Amino acid sequence: MQPGISTHVFLQQRLHPGLLDAMVRGGARSIEIFAARHHFDYADRSAVREIAQWFRSNEVTATLHQPLYADAQWSRHVAPTLNLIDVEKSRRIDAMDEVKRALESAEQIPFGAVVLHLGVREDHWSARSLENSLTAIEHLKAFARPLGVKCLVENLHNEVATPEHILEVLKVGHFDNVGVCFDTGHAQLSEIGLEGSFALLKPRIAELHVHDNGGVRDEHLWPGSGAIDWAALSRLAAQLPAGLPGILEISHELEETAETVTAKARTAYDLFEKNAEADSLRERQAKE
C-alpha cells in the first residue's frame, strides 16, 4: 500500500498547509481531503488555491471524500445531512449538487478519485435505493470524468452499501470504470466480516480506508487500538496492486494535534511494514 491519511482526523479545524505538512512528516504519500465547508471550503476560491499550491509543491497524490454536511456551521454532534439516495428527490438533487461543487475543486487540485457514500446509517436496501444509487453514480461519474476523477463507492455500515449490494449496483449500472473504496472498519462490523468483505470486493478495490474498532461500533481508531487482525489485513492488502492508497481515516473526536498525528501515523505505517516483512519471511521459509 501507498501510505496515506485523510484530513478527517483534523475535521474540527480549518485545513491549511501546516496540517498537510504534518501528515507528510508522518510518512503520508497520499492525502484524502475530506470535503466539509468549515474544514475545506471547496466553494472558496482562495481556500482551494491555497491547497492546490501545496499539492503542486509536494510529491503527494490527492483524493477527495464527498461532503456529508450541507451546512458550513458544523459540530461533532451533527448527523450527516447530505444523502445521495434520500427518499425525497429534492434532497437527492441537493446532495448531488453539493458533491459537484466539491468536485469542481479538481480543476485546481489534482484529485485522482472521489469517495462516494450510498445512503446513511438508517437506509434500507430496496428497489428504490438501487434505482437512486444508479442515478447518483451515473450523474456524478459523468461530471467527474472530464475532471480526471474516478468515482469510488465505499462499503458502509448500512444495508445499501454492503459488499453484495455495491456489486449489484455496479453490475446493474454497467459501471465498469467505477471502483470501490474498501473501508476496514466498516468491513469488520459487517455480517461477513473483514475477510469475507474483501473477497467479494477485491477485483474492484482502488483505495483503502484504514482504521480500527472494537467490533461493536464505528469508532475510527488508530490501527492496533481495536480488534482488527492487522496481520491478516496485511496478507489481504498484499494481494492488491502495488501503490494502491491505504488511507488512515481516523476520528476527529480523538482531538489529535499535528504533532500527535505525525507520530501516530508513523507508528501505524511501521505496523503495516512489520506485518508485510513477517509475511515475506514466512513465504521464504515455506519455500525452503
Side-chain angles (χ1 to χ4, degrees):
M1 292 188 298
Q2 181 186 61
I5 191 166
S6 170
T7 67
H8 186 269
V9 70
F10 293 128
L11 192 57
Q12 297 179 65
Q13 306 177 48
R14 184 187 72 81
L15 185 62
H16 58 81
L19 296 179
L20 298 174
D21 288 338
M23 294 176 171
V24 171
R25 287 195 299 272
R29 293 295 173 265
S30 181
I31 292 178
E32 181 184 83
I33 304 295
F34 197 95
R37 291 201 187 196
H38 70 280
H39 170 64
F40 165 59
D41 191 352
Y42 43 85
D44 183 331
R45 289 182 178 274
S46 62
V48 172
R49 190 182 309 115
E50 178 182 49
I51 300 303
Q53 289 174 346
W54 184 90
F55 275 100
R56 283 196 291 269
S57 301
N58 292 270
E59 295 183 358
V60 178
T61 60
T63 60
L64 177 70
H65 192 294
Q66 73 152 86
L68 301 179
Y69 309 96
D71 197 339
Q73 299 301 316
W74 174 92
S75 79
R76 72 179 66 184
H77 306 295
V78 174
T81 54
L82 296 176
N83 185 353
L84 294 172
I85 64 168
D86 198 287
V87 294
E88 295 290 338
K89 183 177 181 179
S90 62
R91 293 177 182 170
R92 294 197 301 273
I93 293 173
D94 288 344
M96 281 190 279
D97 285 347
E98 195 67 20
V99 175
K100 289 176 183 177
R101 289 189 191 96
L103 276 167
E104 286 176 344
S105 62
E107 293 176 351
Q108 296 190 58
I109 302 173
F111 292 123
V114 59
V115 175
L116 304 177
H117 279 203
L118 297 180
V120 295
R121 181 68 180 272
E122 297 77 18
D123 281 321
H124 301 287
W125 179 248
S126 65
R128 181 171 60 186
S129 61
L130 170 60
E131 183 63 31
N132 291 342
S133 296
L134 294 171
T135 300
I137 293 175
E138 185 62 47
H139 278 77
L140 294 175
K141 181 169 67 73
F143 189 86
R145 186 188 302 114
L147 296 168
V149 180
K150 181 175 182 177
C151 290
L152 308 180
V153 178
E154 180 178 348
N155 58 303
L156 303 174
H157 195 39
N158 68 18
E159 285 187 16
V160 179
T162 64
E164 299 92 340
H165 292 156
I166 286 174
L167 292 179
E168 183 171 349
V169 170
L170 299 182
K171 179 180 179 181
V172 173
H174 302 286
F175 297 136
D176 297 335
N177 295 323
V178 174
V180 166
C181 174
F182 182 75
D183 189 292
T184 62
H186 300 161
Q188 171 80 353
L189 296 172
S190 68
E191 292 184 1
I192 59 176
L194 186 68
E195 296 196 24
S197 298
F198 182 89
L200 286 177
L201 296 175
K202 176 185 171 183
R204 292 282 197 152
I205 295 174
E207 180 178 310
L208 296 175
H209 273 176
V210 181
H211 54 95
D212 212 335
N213 61 63
V216 177
R217 59 190 181 89
D218 190 22
E219 298 172 279
H220 286 257
L221 303 176
W222 291 98
S225 300
I228 288 181
D229 183 344
W230 292 98
L233 179 63
S234 176
R235 290 191 290 273
L236 296 176
Q239 302 172 32
L240 298 172
L244 184 146
I247 305 293
L248 292 168
E249 191 183 46
I250 307 303
S251 174
H252 55 87
E253 294 187 357
L254 297 178
E255 298 185 346
E256 303 286 2
T257 65
E259 291 74 19
T260 61
V261 165
T262 294
K264 292 181 180 181
R266 285 175 180 164
T267 299
Y269 300 142
D270 286 345
L271 174 64
F272 304 149
E273 187 173 341
K274 289 177 181 176
N275 283 328
E277 290 174 351
D279 290 340
S280 178
L281 177 60
R282 281 192 292 269
E283 288 180 5
R284 290 197 302 270
Q285 292 175 335
K287 293 178 181 179
E288 293 176 354

